């Protein structure tokens, strides 16, 4: 499917989410019967992904900077990917990795709270946002949402999925939090999944990722495509980058994903170098209609999309960035003893 075709599909899904449509599914009804047997086989091979429970990484990071300034507050929302299911140590979860990296860049302590739920679909974000905003005096400075994979596997209509995500981003932004959404990963790279399910899963994942981008950006959030999470690197090195269940990422896989998201988290907080905020034409960065930017981002992992111009001849425009991945020195990857 071409970029322009993906953009049209993504725009149609996002419009349906905004105006109450609900008839656009992630997988066509006519194809479900053809792949049902393979779905069940893949589920048996992948495993249910519900054990063990993810380690709690809540706590204070960047203790070396304690007393310098008040801690930044980082909250993780979403599904098992945001929760860190598949690893055994708190410091290996994406929340801990992001908190450690953010503390190093900001030179401030970071207080991490994770309200993500393994197995969650986008309709659970309403409950999670209530938890995240429960204390009006402690609104997060930045929230990272990773959600969408379960929407694809459970065949939630894309319009419904995007509607829930857009509402969550809107509520968090209205409360004063910056929001970064890690869009739906490419489920077509899960090792046990075979054709034609692999092709269908990849197509559904990318369609949802593009539509998520439109919905999130139009509500004032930023997105990062998470093709890296279950993308080409994982397909090439499944034993290294997938966890023991061949579905959730390993510690190395989560580190790859966190490295893709961290620059956007820093940019949302005004911590990234100003010279890197200007689009670089040599890296195919620039301003595009938001649907076109969303489609391109869904096709290339690690691509950021942020709101730029609210109106234009073809609707709102967005800035597409392909940020360089910088390794930042870890401060103290484990949370304070008072943490989880």
């Amino acid at each position: 499917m071409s970029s322009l075709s993906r953009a049209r599909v993504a725009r149609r899904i996002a419009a349906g989410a905004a105006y109450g449509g609900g008839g656009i599914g992630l997988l066509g009804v006519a194809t479900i019967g053809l792949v049902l047997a393979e779905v069940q086989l893949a589920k048996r091979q992948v495993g249910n992904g519900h054990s063990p429970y993810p380690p709690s990484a809540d706590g204070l990071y960047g203790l070396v900077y304690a007393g310098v300034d008040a801690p930044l507050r980082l909250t993780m929302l979403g599904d098992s990917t945001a929760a860190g299911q598949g690893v055994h140590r708190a410091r290996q979860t994406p929340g801990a990795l992001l908190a450690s990296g953010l503390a190093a860049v900001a030179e401030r302590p970071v207080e991490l709270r994770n309200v993500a739920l393994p197995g969650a679909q986008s309709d659970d974000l309403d409950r999670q946002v209530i938890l995240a905003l429960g204390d009006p005096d402690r609104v997060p400075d930045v929230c990272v949402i990773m959600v969408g994979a379960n929407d694809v596997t459970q065949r939630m209509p894309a319009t419904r999925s995007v509607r829930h995500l857009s509402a969550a981003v809107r509520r968090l932004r209205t409360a004063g939090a910056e929001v970064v959404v890690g869009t739906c990963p490419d489920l077509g790279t899960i090792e046990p999944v075979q054709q034609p399910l692999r092709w269908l899963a990849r197509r559904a994942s990318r369609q949802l990722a593009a539509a998520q981008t439109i919905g999130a950006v139009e509500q004032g959030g930023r997105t990062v495509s998470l093709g890296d999470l279950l993308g080409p690197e994982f397909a090439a090195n499944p034993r290294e980058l997938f966890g023991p269940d061949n579905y959730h990422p390993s510690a190395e896989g989560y580190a790859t994903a966190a490295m893709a998201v961290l620059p956007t988290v820093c940019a949302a907080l005004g911590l990234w170098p100003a010279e890197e905020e200007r689009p670089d034409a040599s890296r195919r960065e620039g301003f595009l209609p938001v649907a076109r930017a969303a489609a391109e981002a869904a096709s290339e992992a690690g691509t950021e999309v942020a709101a730029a111009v609210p109106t234009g001849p073809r609707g709102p425009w967005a800035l597409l960035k392909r940020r360089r991945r910088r390794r930042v020195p870890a401060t103290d990857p484990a949370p304070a003893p008072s943490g989880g």
Side-chain angles (χ1 to χ4, degrees), residues 162-196:
V162 174
R163 188 179 304 128
H164 286 294
L165 175 62
S166 298
V169 174
R170 180 171 61 250
R171 290 174 61 191
L172 293 169
R173 292 291 292 129
T174 300
E178 298 291 339
V179 181
V180 175
V181 176
T183 56
C184 182
D186 183 357
L187 297 179
T189 59
I190 298 174
E191 192 180 30
V193 178
Q194 303 299 321
Q195 300 291 10

PDB file of all heavy atoms in Angstrom, residues 162-196:
ATOM      1  N   VAL A 162      -8.943   4.520  18.229  1.00  0.00           N
ATOM      2  CA  VAL A 162      -8.405   5.872  18.127  1.00  0.00           C
ATOM      3  C   VAL A 162      -9.230   6.853  18.948  1.00  0.00           C
ATOM      4  O   VAL A 162      -8.697   7.807  19.521  1.00  0.00           O
ATOM      5  CB  VAL A 162      -8.336   6.301  16.652  1.00  0.00           C
ATOM      6  CG1 VAL A 162      -7.923   7.763  16.513  1.00  0.00           C
ATOM      7  CG2 VAL A 162      -7.360   5.411  15.895  1.00  0.00           C
ATOM      8  N   ARG A 163     -10.528   6.631  19.036  1.00  0.00           N
ATOM      9  CA  ARG A 163     -11.379   7.516  19.830  1.00  0.00           C
ATOM     10  C   ARG A 163     -10.940   7.504  21.297  1.00  0.00           C
ATOM     11  O   ARG A 163     -10.842   8.561  21.937  1.00  0.00           O
ATOM     12  CB  ARG A 163     -12.840   7.092  19.711  1.00  0.00           C
ATOM     13  CG  ARG A 163     -13.835   8.070  20.345  1.00  0.00           C
ATOM     14  CD  ARG A 163     -15.262   7.577  20.166  1.00  0.00           C
ATOM     15  NE  ARG A 163     -15.548   7.354  18.754  1.00  0.00           N
ATOM     16  CZ  ARG A 163     -16.049   6.225  18.273  1.00  0.00           C
ATOM     17  NH1 ARG A 163     -16.299   5.200  19.059  1.00  0.00           N
ATOM     18  NH2 ARG A 163     -16.289   6.104  16.981  1.00  0.00           N
ATOM     19  N   HIS A 164     -10.677   6.330  21.836  1.00  0.00           N
ATOM     20  CA  HIS A 164     -10.239   6.242  23.232  1.00  0.00           C
ATOM     21  C   HIS A 164      -8.873   6.896  23.430  1.00  0.00           C
ATOM     22  O   HIS A 164      -8.644   7.595  24.423  1.00  0.00           O
ATOM     23  CB  HIS A 164     -10.200   4.783  23.680  1.00  0.00           C
ATOM     24  CG  HIS A 164     -11.546   4.181  23.918  1.00  0.00           C
ATOM     25  ND1 HIS A 164     -12.384   4.608  24.923  1.00  0.00           N
ATOM     26  CD2 HIS A 164     -12.202   3.180  23.272  1.00  0.00           C
ATOM     27  CE1 HIS A 164     -13.500   3.897  24.913  1.00  0.00           C
ATOM     28  NE2 HIS A 164     -13.417   3.021  23.916  1.00  0.00           N
ATOM     29  N   LEU A 165      -7.960   6.655  22.495  1.00  0.00           N
ATOM     30  CA  LEU A 165      -6.634   7.249  22.616  1.00  0.00           C
ATOM     31  C   LEU A 165      -6.711   8.767  22.532  1.00  0.00           C
ATOM     32  O   LEU A 165      -6.083   9.475  23.324  1.00  0.00           O
ATOM     33  CB  LEU A 165      -5.712   6.705  21.527  1.00  0.00           C
ATOM     34  CG  LEU A 165      -4.313   7.330  21.471  1.00  0.00           C
ATOM     35  CD1 LEU A 165      -3.538   7.063  22.763  1.00  0.00           C
ATOM     36  CD2 LEU A 165      -3.539   6.806  20.263  1.00  0.00           C
ATOM     37  N   SER A 166      -7.462   9.286  21.575  1.00  0.00           N
ATOM     38  CA  SER A 166      -7.579  10.730  21.416  1.00  0.00           C
ATOM     39  C   SER A 166      -8.151  11.372  22.672  1.00  0.00           C
ATOM     40  O   SER A 166      -7.683  12.435  23.116  1.00  0.00           O
ATOM     41  CB  SER A 166      -8.462  11.060  20.211  1.00  0.00           C
ATOM     42  OG  SER A 166      -7.901  10.560  19.015  1.00  0.00           O
ATOM     43  N   ALA A 167      -9.161  10.737  23.263  1.00  0.00           N
ATOM     44  CA  ALA A 167      -9.759  11.276  24.481  1.00  0.00           C
ATOM     45  C   ALA A 167      -8.742  11.304  25.620  1.00  0.00           C
ATOM     46  O   ALA A 167      -8.687  12.263  26.399  1.00  0.00           O
ATOM     47  CB  ALA A 167     -10.982  10.450  24.872  1.00  0.00           C
ATOM     48  N   ALA A 168      -7.928  10.252  25.716  1.00  0.00           N
ATOM     49  CA  ALA A 168      -6.914  10.208  26.772  1.00  0.00           C
ATOM     50  C   ALA A 168      -5.885  11.318  26.596  1.00  0.00           C
ATOM     51  O   ALA A 168      -5.519  12.010  27.550  1.00  0.00           O
ATOM     52  CB  ALA A 168      -6.233   8.843  26.781  1.00  0.00           C
ATOM     53  N   VAL A 169      -5.413  11.489  25.350  1.00  0.00           N
ATOM     54  CA  VAL A 169      -4.433  12.548  25.092  1.00  0.00           C
ATOM     55  C   VAL A 169      -5.032  13.914  25.403  1.00  0.00           C
ATOM     56  O   VAL A 169      -4.387  14.764  26.031  1.00  0.00           O
ATOM     57  CB  VAL A 169      -3.955  12.485  23.626  1.00  0.00           C
ATOM     58  CG1 VAL A 169      -3.039  13.671  23.311  1.00  0.00           C
ATOM     59  CG2 VAL A 169      -3.225  11.175  23.358  1.00  0.00           C
ATOM     60  N   ARG A 170      -6.273  14.124  24.994  1.00  0.00           N
ATOM     61  CA  ARG A 170      -6.929  15.416  25.247  1.00  0.00           C
ATOM     62  C   ARG A 170      -7.030  15.708  26.748  1.00  0.00           C
ATOM     63  O   ARG A 170      -6.737  16.828  27.197  1.00  0.00           O
ATOM     64  CB  ARG A 170      -8.314  15.424  24.608  1.00  0.00           C
ATOM     65  CG  ARG A 170      -9.074  16.742  24.814  1.00  0.00           C
ATOM     66  CD  ARG A 170     -10.335  16.776  23.969  1.00  0.00           C
ATOM     67  NE  ARG A 170     -11.270  15.708  24.314  1.00  0.00           N
ATOM     68  CZ  ARG A 170     -11.531  14.668  23.521  1.00  0.00           C
ATOM     69  NH1 ARG A 170     -10.918  14.534  22.360  1.00  0.00           N
ATOM     70  NH2 ARG A 170     -12.396  13.748  23.906  1.00  0.00           N
ATOM     71  N   ARG A 171      -7.431  14.727  27.535  1.00  0.00           N
ATOM     72  CA  ARG A 171      -7.579  14.943  28.980  1.00  0.00           C
ATOM     73  C   ARG A 171      -6.231  15.218  29.640  1.00  0.00           C
ATOM     74  O   ARG A 171      -6.123  16.079  30.518  1.00  0.00           O
ATOM     75  CB  ARG A 171      -8.258  13.730  29.620  1.00  0.00           C
ATOM     76  CG  ARG A 171      -9.722  13.585  29.235  1.00  0.00           C
ATOM     77  CD  ARG A 171     -10.307  12.311  29.776  1.00  0.00           C
ATOM     78  NE  ARG A 171     -10.257  12.269  31.240  1.00  0.00           N
ATOM     79  CZ  ARG A 171     -10.513  11.174  31.957  1.00  0.00           C
ATOM     80  NH1 ARG A 171     -10.823  10.038  31.332  1.00  0.00           N
ATOM     81  NH2 ARG A 171     -10.459  11.203  33.262  1.00  0.00           N
ATOM     82  N   LEU A 172      -5.211  14.491  29.232  1.00  0.00           N
ATOM     83  CA  LEU A 172      -3.887  14.704  29.818  1.00  0.00           C
ATOM     84  C   LEU A 172      -3.323  16.069  29.429  1.00  0.00           C
ATOM     85  O   LEU A 172      -2.739  16.777  30.257  1.00  0.00           O
ATOM     86  CB  LEU A 172      -2.940  13.588  29.374  1.00  0.00           C
ATOM     87  CG  LEU A 172      -3.259  12.190  29.918  1.00  0.00           C
ATOM     88  CD1 LEU A 172      -2.420  11.134  29.207  1.00  0.00           C
ATOM     89  CD2 LEU A 172      -3.025  12.123  31.430  1.00  0.00           C
ATOM     90  N   ARG A 173      -3.503  16.463  28.172  1.00  0.00           N
ATOM     91  CA  ARG A 173      -3.006  17.765  27.729  1.00  0.00           C
ATOM     92  C   ARG A 173      -3.770  18.897  28.404  1.00  0.00           C
ATOM     93  O   ARG A 173      -3.193  19.915  28.785  1.00  0.00           O
ATOM     94  CB  ARG A 173      -3.131  17.878  26.202  1.00  0.00           C
ATOM     95  CG  ARG A 173      -2.216  16.958  25.431  1.00  0.00           C
ATOM     96  CD  ARG A 173      -0.755  17.369  25.577  1.00  0.00           C
ATOM     97  NE  ARG A 173      -0.494  18.628  24.910  1.00  0.00           N
ATOM     98  CZ  ARG A 173       0.106  19.674  25.464  1.00  0.00           C
ATOM     99  NH1 ARG A 173       0.504  19.623  26.732  1.00  0.00           N
ATOM    100  NH2 ARG A 173       0.318  20.777  24.788  1.00  0.00           N
ATOM    101  N   THR A 174      -5.083  18.735  28.565  1.00  0.00           N
ATOM    102  CA  THR A 174      -5.884  19.754  29.243  1.00  0.00           C
ATOM    103  C   THR A 174      -5.432  19.939  30.684  1.00  0.00           C
ATOM    104  O   THR A 174      -5.435  21.055  31.214  1.00  0.00           O
ATOM    105  CB  THR A 174      -7.376  19.372  29.207  1.00  0.00           C
ATOM    106  OG1 THR A 174      -7.805  19.272  27.842  1.00  0.00           O
ATOM    107  CG2 THR A 174      -8.229  20.411  29.919  1.00  0.00           C
ATOM    108  N   ALA A 175      -4.990  18.843  31.311  1.00  0.00           N
ATOM    109  CA  ALA A 175      -4.503  18.913  32.692  1.00  0.00           C
ATOM    110  C   ALA A 175      -3.126  19.541  32.791  1.00  0.00           C
ATOM    111  O   ALA A 175      -2.679  19.888  33.886  1.00  0.00           O
ATOM    112  CB  ALA A 175      -4.481  17.515  33.307  1.00  0.00           C
ATOM    113  N   GLY A 176      -2.431  19.679  31.662  1.00  0.00           N
ATOM    114  CA  GLY A 176      -1.123  20.322  31.661  1.00  0.00           C
ATOM    115  C   GLY A 176       0.045  19.403  31.431  1.00  0.00           C
ATOM    116  O   GLY A 176       1.198  19.838  31.493  1.00  0.00           O
ATOM    117  N   ALA A 177      -0.198  18.118  31.148  1.00  0.00           N
ATOM    118  CA  ALA A 177       0.885  17.166  30.911  1.00  0.00           C
ATOM    119  C   ALA A 177       1.248  17.125  29.430  1.00  0.00           C
ATOM    120  O   ALA A 177       0.374  17.210  28.565  1.00  0.00           O
ATOM    121  CB  ALA A 177       0.476  15.772  31.372  1.00  0.00           C
ATOM    122  N   GLU A 178       2.538  17.011  29.140  1.00  0.00           N
ATOM    123  CA  GLU A 178       2.965  16.683  27.789  1.00  0.00           C
ATOM    124  C   GLU A 178       2.664  15.199  27.557  1.00  0.00           C
ATOM    125  O   GLU A 178       2.682  14.398  28.502  1.00  0.00           O
ATOM    126  CB  GLU A 178       4.456  16.949  27.593  1.00  0.00           C
ATOM    127  CG  GLU A 178       4.860  18.403  27.761  1.00  0.00           C
ATOM    128  CD  GLU A 178       4.335  19.287  26.645  1.00  0.00           C
ATOM    129  OE1 GLU A 178       4.019  18.742  25.561  1.00  0.00           O
ATOM    130  OE2 GLU A 178       4.231  20.504  26.861  1.00  0.00           O
ATOM    131  N   VAL A 179       2.385  14.832  26.302  1.00  0.00           N
ATOM    132  CA  VAL A 179       2.023  13.448  26.002  1.00  0.00           C
ATOM    133  C   VAL A 179       2.817  12.954  24.801  1.00  0.00           C
ATOM    134  O   VAL A 179       2.865  13.621  23.759  1.00  0.00           O
ATOM    135  CB  VAL A 179       0.517  13.308  25.705  1.00  0.00           C
ATOM    136  CG1 VAL A 179       0.165  11.839  25.410  1.00  0.00           C
ATOM    137  CG2 VAL A 179      -0.313  13.812  26.879  1.00  0.00           C
ATOM    138  N   VAL A 180       3.438  11.790  24.959  1.00  0.00           N
ATOM    139  CA  VAL A 180       4.135  11.113  23.876  1.00  0.00           C
ATOM    140  C   VAL A 180       3.511   9.729  23.724  1.00  0.00           C
ATOM    141  O   VAL A 180       3.434   8.972  24.695  1.00  0.00           O
ATOM    142  CB  VAL A 180       5.641  10.981  24.149  1.00  0.00           C
ATOM    143  CG1 VAL A 180       6.321  10.159  23.055  1.00  0.00           C
ATOM    144  CG2 VAL A 180       6.287  12.358  24.270  1.00  0.00           C
ATOM    145  N   VAL A 181       3.062   9.417  22.532  1.00  0.00           N
ATOM    146  CA  VAL A 181       2.426   8.130  22.259  1.00  0.00           C
ATOM    147  C   VAL A 181       3.367   7.270  21.429  1.00  0.00           C
ATOM    148  O   VAL A 181       3.785   7.674  20.337  1.00  0.00           O
ATOM    149  CB  VAL A 181       1.090   8.308  21.515  1.00  0.00           C
ATOM    150  CG1 VAL A 181       0.487   6.943  21.159  1.00  0.00           C
ATOM    151  CG2 VAL A 181       0.114   9.118  22.355  1.00  0.00           C
ATOM    152  N   GLY A 182       3.707   6.106  21.943  1.00  0.00           N
ATOM    153  CA  GLY A 182       4.398   5.099  21.147  1.00  0.00           C
ATOM    154  C   GLY A 182       3.333   4.313  20.401  1.00  0.00           C
ATOM    155  O   GLY A 182       2.555   3.583  21.025  1.00  0.00           O
ATOM    156  N   THR A 183       3.250   4.470  19.092  1.00  0.00           N
ATOM    157  CA  THR A 183       2.135   3.898  18.347  1.00  0.00           C
ATOM    158  C   THR A 183       2.257   2.386  18.222  1.00  0.00           C
ATOM    159  O   THR A 183       3.285   1.790  18.539  1.00  0.00           O
ATOM    160  CB  THR A 183       2.028   4.548  16.958  1.00  0.00           C
ATOM    161  OG1 THR A 183       3.269   4.398  16.251  1.00  0.00           O
ATOM    162  CG2 THR A 183       1.697   6.031  17.077  1.00  0.00           C
ATOM    163  N   CYS A 184       1.197   1.781  17.733  1.00  0.00           N
ATOM    164  CA  CYS A 184       1.100   0.322  17.663  1.00  0.00           C
ATOM    165  C   CYS A 184       2.304  -0.290  16.950  1.00  0.00           C
ATOM    166  O   CYS A 184       2.647   0.105  15.836  1.00  0.00           O
ATOM    167  CB  CYS A 184      -0.182  -0.062  16.923  1.00  0.00           C
ATOM    168  SG  CYS A 184      -0.451  -1.846  16.808  1.00  0.00           S
ATOM    169  N   PRO A 185       2.968  -1.255  17.576  1.00  0.00           N
ATOM    170  CA  PRO A 185       4.112  -1.905  16.930  1.00  0.00           C
ATOM    171  C   PRO A 185       3.665  -2.810  15.793  1.00  0.00           C
ATOM    172  O   PRO A 185       2.490  -3.140  15.644  1.00  0.00           O
ATOM    173  CB  PRO A 185       4.744  -2.705  18.072  1.00  0.00           C
ATOM    174  CG  PRO A 185       3.608  -2.985  18.991  1.00  0.00           C
ATOM    175  CD  PRO A 185       2.715  -1.776  18.931  1.00  0.00           C
ATOM    176  N   ASP A 186       4.626  -3.218  14.995  1.00  0.00           N
ATOM    177  CA  ASP A 186       4.364  -4.080  13.840  1.00  0.00           C
ATOM    178  C   ASP A 186       4.237  -5.525  14.310  1.00  0.00           C
ATOM    179  O   ASP A 186       5.237  -6.198  14.564  1.00  0.00           O
ATOM    180  CB  ASP A 186       5.502  -3.934  12.826  1.00  0.00           C
ATOM    181  CG  ASP A 186       5.266  -4.750  11.557  1.00  0.00           C
ATOM    182  OD1 ASP A 186       4.253  -5.473  11.502  1.00  0.00           O
ATOM    183  OD2 ASP A 186       6.086  -4.651  10.640  1.00  0.00           O
ATOM    184  N   LEU A 187       3.013  -6.004  14.411  1.00  0.00           N
ATOM    185  CA  LEU A 187       2.783  -7.364  14.897  1.00  0.00           C
ATOM    186  C   LEU A 187       3.098  -8.413  13.840  1.00  0.00           C
ATOM    187  O   LEU A 187       3.108  -9.602  14.133  1.00  0.00           O
ATOM    188  CB  LEU A 187       1.333  -7.504  15.354  1.00  0.00           C
ATOM    189  CG  LEU A 187       0.930  -6.616  16.528  1.00  0.00           C
ATOM    190  CD1 LEU A 187      -0.532  -6.837  16.864  1.00  0.00           C
ATOM    191  CD2 LEU A 187       1.803  -6.878  17.741  1.00  0.00           C
ATOM    192  N   GLY A 188       3.387  -7.971  12.631  1.00  0.00           N
ATOM    193  CA  GLY A 188       3.735  -8.932  11.589  1.00  0.00           C
ATOM    194  C   GLY A 188       5.108  -9.541  11.757  1.00  0.00           C
ATOM    195  O   GLY A 188       5.479 -10.427  10.986  1.00  0.00           O
ATOM    196  N   THR A 189       5.866  -9.097  12.747  1.00  0.00           N
ATOM    197  CA  THR A 189       7.209  -9.629  12.943  1.00  0.00           C
ATOM    198  C   THR A 189       7.281 -10.662  14.073  1.00  0.00           C
ATOM    199  O   THR A 189       8.356 -11.170  14.354  1.00  0.00           O
ATOM    200  CB  THR A 189       8.195  -8.491  13.272  1.00  0.00           C
ATOM    201  OG1 THR A 189       7.760  -7.832  14.458  1.00  0.00           O
ATOM    202  CG2 THR A 189       8.255  -7.492  12.143  1.00  0.00           C
ATOM    203  N   ILE A 190       6.145 -10.951  14.727  1.00  0.00           N
ATOM    204  CA  ILE A 190       6.174 -11.965  15.781  1.00  0.00           C
ATOM    205  C   ILE A 190       6.515 -13.308  15.166  1.00  0.00           C
ATOM    206  O   ILE A 190       5.857 -13.761  14.233  1.00  0.00           O
ATOM    207  CB  ILE A 190       4.824 -12.029  16.515  1.00  0.00           C
ATOM    208  CG1 ILE A 190       4.541 -10.679  17.182  1.00  0.00           C
ATOM    209  CG2 ILE A 190       4.823 -13.140  17.549  1.00  0.00           C
ATOM    210  CD1 ILE A 190       3.181 -10.591  17.816  1.00  0.00           C
ATOM    211  N   GLU A 191       7.529 -13.949  15.698  1.00  0.00           N
ATOM    212  CA  GLU A 191       8.150 -15.096  15.029  1.00  0.00           C
ATOM    213  C   GLU A 191       7.194 -16.244  14.684  1.00  0.00           C
ATOM    214  O   GLU A 191       7.245 -16.764  13.566  1.00  0.00           O
ATOM    215  CB  GLU A 191       9.306 -15.623  15.875  1.00  0.00           C
ATOM    216  CG  GLU A 191      10.172 -16.613  15.116  1.00  0.00           C
ATOM    217  CD  GLU A 191      11.322 -17.120  15.972  1.00  0.00           C
ATOM    218  OE1 GLU A 191      11.144 -17.183  17.200  1.00  0.00           O
ATOM    219  OE2 GLU A 191      12.369 -17.444  15.430  1.00  0.00           O
ATOM    220  N   PRO A 192       6.295 -16.676  15.564  1.00  0.00           N
ATOM    221  CA  PRO A 192       5.462 -17.824  15.193  1.00  0.00           C
ATOM    222  C   PRO A 192       4.379 -17.510  14.175  1.00  0.00           C
ATOM    223  O   PRO A 192       3.760 -18.423  13.640  1.00  0.00           O
ATOM    224  CB  PRO A 192       4.819 -18.227  16.535  1.00  0.00           C
ATOM    225  CG  PRO A 192       5.636 -17.553  17.586  1.00  0.00           C
ATOM    226  CD  PRO A 192       6.124 -16.282  16.969  1.00  0.00           C
ATOM    227  N   VAL A 193       4.093 -16.245  13.914  1.00  0.00           N
ATOM    228  CA  VAL A 193       2.999 -15.882  13.022  1.00  0.00           C
ATOM    229  C   VAL A 193       3.414 -16.113  11.573  1.00  0.00           C
ATOM    230  O   VAL A 193       4.448 -15.625  11.125  1.00  0.00           O
ATOM    231  CB  VAL A 193       2.580 -14.417  13.240  1.00  0.00           C
ATOM    232  CG1 VAL A 193       1.474 -14.027  12.260  1.00  0.00           C
ATOM    233  CG2 VAL A 193       2.118 -14.211  14.675  1.00  0.00           C
ATOM    234  N   GLN A 194       2.592 -16.849  10.825  1.00  0.00           N
ATOM    235  CA  GLN A 194       2.893 -17.180   9.438  1.00  0.00           C
ATOM    236  C   GLN A 194       1.908 -16.464   8.505  1.00  0.00           C
ATOM    237  O   GLN A 194       0.935 -15.863   8.939  1.00  0.00           O
ATOM    238  CB  GLN A 194       2.813 -18.695   9.231  1.00  0.00           C
ATOM    239  CG  GLN A 194       3.741 -19.485  10.145  1.00  0.00           C
ATOM    240  CD  GLN A 194       5.205 -19.145   9.932  1.00  0.00           C
ATOM    241  OE1 GLN A 194       5.641 -18.943   8.794  1.00  0.00           O
ATOM    242  NE2 GLN A 194       5.981 -19.094  11.006  1.00  0.00           N
ATOM    243  N   GLN A 195       2.173 -16.548   7.210  1.00  0.00           N
ATOM    244  CA  GLN A 195       1.261 -15.995   6.220  1.00  0.00           C
ATOM    245  C   GLN A 195      -0.010 -16.856   6.156  1.00  0.00           C
ATOM    246  O   GLN A 195       0.061 -18.062   6.391  1.00  0.00           O
ATOM    247  CB  GLN A 195       1.935 -15.969   4.843  1.00  0.00           C
ATOM    248  CG  GLN A 195       3.186 -15.139   4.771  1.00  0.00           C
ATOM    249  CD  GLN A 195       2.927 -13.646   4.904  1.00  0.00           C
ATOM    250  OE1 GLN A 195       1.825 -13.212   5.233  1.00  0.00           O
ATOM    251  NE2 GLN A 195       3.963 -12.853   4.657  1.00  0.00           N
ATOM    252  N   PRO A 196      -1.181 -16.257   5.851  1.00  0.00           N
ATOM    253  CA  PRO A 196      -1.384 -14.845   5.533  1.00  0.00           C
ATOM    254  C   PRO A 196      -1.582 -13.953   6.750  1.00  0.00           C
ATOM    255  O   PRO A 196      -1.729 -12.762   6.611  1.00  0.00           O
ATOM    256  CB  PRO A 196      -2.665 -14.888   4.689  1.00  0.00           C
ATOM    257  CG  PRO A 196      -3.451 -16.005   5.305  1.00  0.00           C
ATOM    258  CD  PRO A 196      -2.421 -17.056   5.675  1.00  0.00           C
TER     259      PRO A 196
END
